[in-house]
Amino acid sequence: MTLLAAALLVLLGSGLAALATLRWPRFSSGVGSAGAPLAALLAGAPVLRALFVGETSRLELTWGMPGATLSLGIDPLSAFFLVPVLGLSALGATYGRAYLSSHTGVRWSSSSWFFFNLLCAAMIVVCLARDPILFLVTWETMSLCAYVLVSLDYERAEARRAGWIYLIASHAGTAALLALFVLLGDSFGGGPGAALASGRASAQTLFALALAGFGVKAGIFPLHVWLPEAHAAAPSHVSALMSGAMVKLGYYGLLRVVVLLGGVASELGVSLAVLGLAGALTGVALSLTQRDLKRALAHSSVENLGLIGLGLGLGFAGSARGDATLAGLGLAVGLFHVWNHAAMKGLMFFAAGGVQHGAGTRDLERLGGLARRMPAAALLFAVAAVALAALPPLNGFATEWLLYLGLLHAVVASPPAGSVAASVALGLLALVGALGAASFVRLFGVVFLGQPRSDSARHAHDVRGSMLGVMAGLGVVCIGLGLAPMLALRAVAAPLAELGTASGVALAPLPAADALAPLPGLALALWLAGCVVAVALALRLRRAPRAADETWACGYAAPSSRMQYSALSFSQPFMTGVPARTLAPRVRAPRPDGVFPPAGSLRADYSEPIAARVYEPLFESLASRFARLRGLQQGNIQLYLAYITLAAVAALAWVSLSRSLQP
């Protein structure tokens, strides 16, 4: 714990130093961005020892909160989630320094590094906290720091709106967590089954509160509506950290509660799997229709978070039924995809930041033709796109392959009703995969192929320096996990055993290991075949005679970028189904009227449909009802004191009455 404590001190010291040197922006940025990489180096050794060796430690200190101790501890489950937190914190800080220093048109403040480092420190403590009060304090600190970073460009209305939506959603989740921890009492740092020892609440109630509280942060459907707003408005290095690491802590909290409960009922696991699959379908459908590049990637995060929920839900259901194969495959998928998605989506958000940095926009309808102007960014964007589309030979394929195998096992091993449900889930998962591939074909084609659609795209420049180095490093991770998924599976073994001990089922990554065994050979063969084809094609083109001519223009005399597929027109064929129409953007295109109609127009509304059609009307209705209570606010201090007195008397009367009624 000494090195972990030192890492926290480095983060806090680096942030305070950046705040104290605001008058020298370059120095402040350098000091502030150095904290996360140094903290990752310090904390790396104890985290890896806990994960691969099983070395655990605990630190107990007294602090000023009444009846509480400052309790920190590390175990394999904490260490597993700390790996993406530390890795993306270090990479995000390195990338962010170059990204912010060269960003033009927006007033970036050096004070952002204080909140960035504080966010990183809070995420670390969330994984280490073994005391409920400490956990809630650092959870709230994490949420508030993320709010500041999302609203960093506060002069834009989009950033202010995203910040408010995130803040409201976070505090709604915190309210559920407060109720959860009141019922948990002091059992948060205990072992399996400790949460039910006091008998304060049933397992169903505790799991429901955990799902509501942690589900907001994890982007579980339908609590995901803040995520597209926040990721689109935040700086790209913050978006990468939030999507790749912070949202996963919602699943960490849920898993920690499951350990305290000693497992959950099969029905609760199935409920989580259904919500996960619904989130995956909703996220991929909305990703396919967005005009903003980062908003499309944020909806893709909803999809992948849904796949994590689907895997964990299957694992919980298998544990409750005593099916070690289903439990092992499901939980291994959920945990493995935490790392996979951190690498893939971290790279993709960094690549999107490179596009915005080089072309000055992330509007898909204003991009195009960037492959010639930004070849390095195009290559790394393609690596992330293939990985996120779950195509071999990259790492995204490994987790979806395990998910398919888990559902196939559920089809065979379940009773008739469960077998039918698993078969339907298999078909929907295949639909998610197909739409995901189409979504990333659309993004890459619209952004990098064709002709530029704006002057900013025509004059784009490629990423370089530390930004390119960070992206290349994550690209190597995606390729490495695709070639050697067994290495990541070794990291899953210890947390999987911990979850199995809690549920009373002997879990091991053996089923997943057997399923992944053929994949390294397949990936290597595909890479070798691709290299051979690329070399042969390059040699052929080098020897072939060259002739300059225009590309066939389909009969048009003067082709232009206006004749290319737009981002909206590409996705329209996929939005023909009834469920898809409800998620598609609302398009308004008035029909021409008269013999000589005026100029036509087309407008599309890309707002989050669930937020626009469910949450906003609900909150407006509640606001109008609560507005009637404004008469109670008279600005009279004596009246407010009377309210407090009446509330105190009512509370004392309730306590006295409840005690008198006890036998």
Side-chain angles (χ1 to χ4, degrees):
M1 293 298 295
T2 305
L3 289 175
L4 289 168
L8 294 174
L9 292 176
V10 166
L11 283 169
L12 295 177
S14 174
L16 290 173
L19 200 61
T21 56
L22 288 180
R23 294 184 179 181
W24 304 276
R26 293 178 64 87
F27 181 78
S28 176
S29 178
V31 172
S33 61
L38 182 56
L41 289 175
L42 289 171
V47 167
L48 294 178
R49 284 200 302 269
L51 187 57
F52 291 103
V53 182
E55 179 179 319
T56 62
S57 59
R58 190 152 181 160
L59 176 66
E60 300 278 350
L61 297 173
T62 57
W63 64 320
M65 299 300 294
T69 58
L70 193 153
S71 181
L72 298 170
I74 185 169
D75 57 13
L77 186 61
S78 299
F80 185 86
F81 282 86
L82 278 173
V83 170
V85 168
L86 295 172
L88 284 177
S89 296
L91 294 175
T94 305
Y95 180 98
R97 182 184 179 188
Y99 179 81
L100 294 181
S101 63
S102 57
H103 205 286
T104 58
V106 182
R107 287 170 47 193
W108 300 107
S109 172
S110 297
S111 61
S112 66
W113 288 111
F114 170 75
F115 293 101
F116 182 89
N117 286 342
L118 189 57
L119 171 63
C120 298
M123 288 192 293
I124 293 173
V125 178
V126 162
C127 293
L128 300 178
R130 296 296 182 269
D131 174 75
I133 296 179
L134 177 62
F135 185 92
L136 284 173
V137 168
T138 51
W139 185 270
E140 185 67 9
T141 302
M142 177 180 70
S143 300
L144 292 176
C145 290
Y147 161 72
V148 173
L149 293 170
V150 167
S151 308
L152 192 60
D153 188 10
Y154 58 88
E155 294 180 346
R156 295 169 53 230
E158 177 193 7
R160 296 195 298 272
R161 169 184 165 82
W164 277 113
I165 291 176
Y166 171 73
L167 197 63
I168 292 170
S170 293
H171 282 82
T174 302
L177 292 182
L178 283 171
L180 170 68
F181 281 103
V182 167
L183 295 176
L184 285 176
D186 297 331
S187 63
F188 182 73
L196 299 178
S198 61
R200 297 184 183 182
S202 65
Q204 289 80 3
T205 301
L206 294 173
F207 185 80
L209 288 172
L211 189 61
F214 293 120
V216 171
K217 193 70 70 184
I220 296 176
F221 179 88
L223 307 174
H224 67 281
V225 293
W226 66 269
L227 199 146
E229 303 282 347
H231 287 2
S236 291
H237 66 295
V238 176
S239 299
L241 180 61
M242 291 176 64
S243 178
M246 190 190 77
V247 295
K248 308 300 193 322
L249 297 185
Y251 279 118
Y252 166 76
L254 188 63
L255 288 171
R256 184 62 69 187
V257 170
V258 170
V259 170
L260 294 177
L261 295 175
V264 294
S266 175
E267 294 77 12
L268 298 179
V270 172
S271 300
L272 177 59
V274 169
L275 292 177
L277 187 55
L281 280 168
T282 303
V284 73
L286 290 173
S287 175
L288 192 56
T289 62
Q290 296 302 305
R291 177 172 177 170
D292 185 290
L293 175 58
K294 288 181 66 177
R295 191 177 288 268
L297 298 182
H299 283 293
S300 171
S301 292
V302 175
E303 173 210 349
N304 283 274
L305 291 166
L307 294 179
I308 294 174
L310 175 59
L312 294 179
L314 290 175
F316 294 156
S319 297
R321 298 172 184 174
D323 188 340
T325 301
L326 180 60
L329 284 171
L331 293 174
V333 166
L335 292 172
F336 191 3
H337 205 57
V338 167
W339 277 21
N340 264 349
H341 182 250
M344 297 184 297
K345 193 50 64 70
L347 173 57
M348 186 58 89
F349 269 115
F350 288 144
V355 170
Q356 185 176 2
H357 173 266
T361 181
R362 60 175 192 261
D363 185 351
L364 296 178
E365 306 295 4
R366 293 178 55 81
L367 295 169
L370 296 186
R372 179 172 296 179
R373 295 159 182 83
M374 304 179 65
L379 177 61
L380 292 166
F381 192 102
V383 170
V386 172
L388 284 164
L391 298 175
L394 293 177
N395 55 330
F397 177 73
T399 45
E400 284 216 19
W401 172 249
L402 292 178
L403 199 51
Y404 278 112
L405 292 179
L407 287 172
L408 284 171
H409 176 81
V411 170
V412 175
S414 299
S419 180
V420 171
S423 300
V424 172
L426 265 174
L428 293 177
L429 181 61
L431 177 61
V432 169
L435 292 179
S439 175
F440 286 104
V441 168
R442 166 181 174 264
L443 288 180
F444 186 85
V446 171
V447 172
F448 292 101
L449 303 182
Q451 298 181 25
R453 299 180 180 85
S454 65
D455 289 336
S456 58
R458 290 187 188 93
H459 299 95
H461 60 84
D462 208 353
V463 292
R464 60 181 73 91
S466 59
M467 293 174 63
L468 179 59
V470 167
M471 293 165 59
L474 279 177
V476 171
V477 171
C478 292
I479 295 171
L481 288 175
L483 287 171
M486 305 300 294
L487 294 178
L489 203 60
R490 285 186 58 194
V492 171
L496 194 63
E498 186 175 350
L499 292 170
T501 302
S503 58
V505 178
L507 296 181
L510 183 60
D514 293 339
L516 291 179
L519 296 190
L522 172 64
L524 184 59
L526 288 174
W527 278 112
L528 291 176
C531 291
V532 169
V533 170
V535 171
L537 184 60
L539 292 175
R540 181 178 178 84
L541 291 176
R542 188 174 182 180
R543 296 171 184 171
R546 297 184 180 181
D549 200 357
E550 292 184 358
T551 305
W552 181 56
C554 304
Y556 288 100
S560 70
S561 61
R562 292 172 61 85
M563 299 176 185
Q564 298 175 161
Y565 269 103
S566 66
L568 180 60
S569 62
F570 186 99
S571 59
Q572 276 182 334
F574 299 96
M575 297 289 105
T576 55
V578 174
R581 288 178 186 172
T582 62
L583 300 176
R586 296 180 178 180
V587 178
R588 293 182 292 275
R591 293 185 176 181
D593 187 20
V595 179
F596 300 103
S601 63
L602 184 145
R603 292 186 179 181
D605 181 11
Y606 294 91
S607 60
E608 165 68 49
I610 296 176
R613 301 170 195 176
V614 178
Y615 288 111
E616 290 181 10
L618 175 63
F619 287 141
E620 288 175 1
S621 175
L622 292 175
S624 63
R625 294 177 183 274
F626 280 109
R628 301 171 186 173
L629 300 176
R630 290 177 180 171
L632 298 176
Q633 292 181 297
Q634 301 293 330
N636 189 326
I637 188 64
Q638 287 83 4
L639 186 60
Y640 295 157
L641 290 173
Y643 293 158
I644 295 172
T645 303
L646 289 174
V649 170
L652 291 172
W654 173 263
V655 172
S656 177
L657 182 62
S658 61
R659 288 183 177 179
S660 63
L661 293 177
Q662 289 180 355

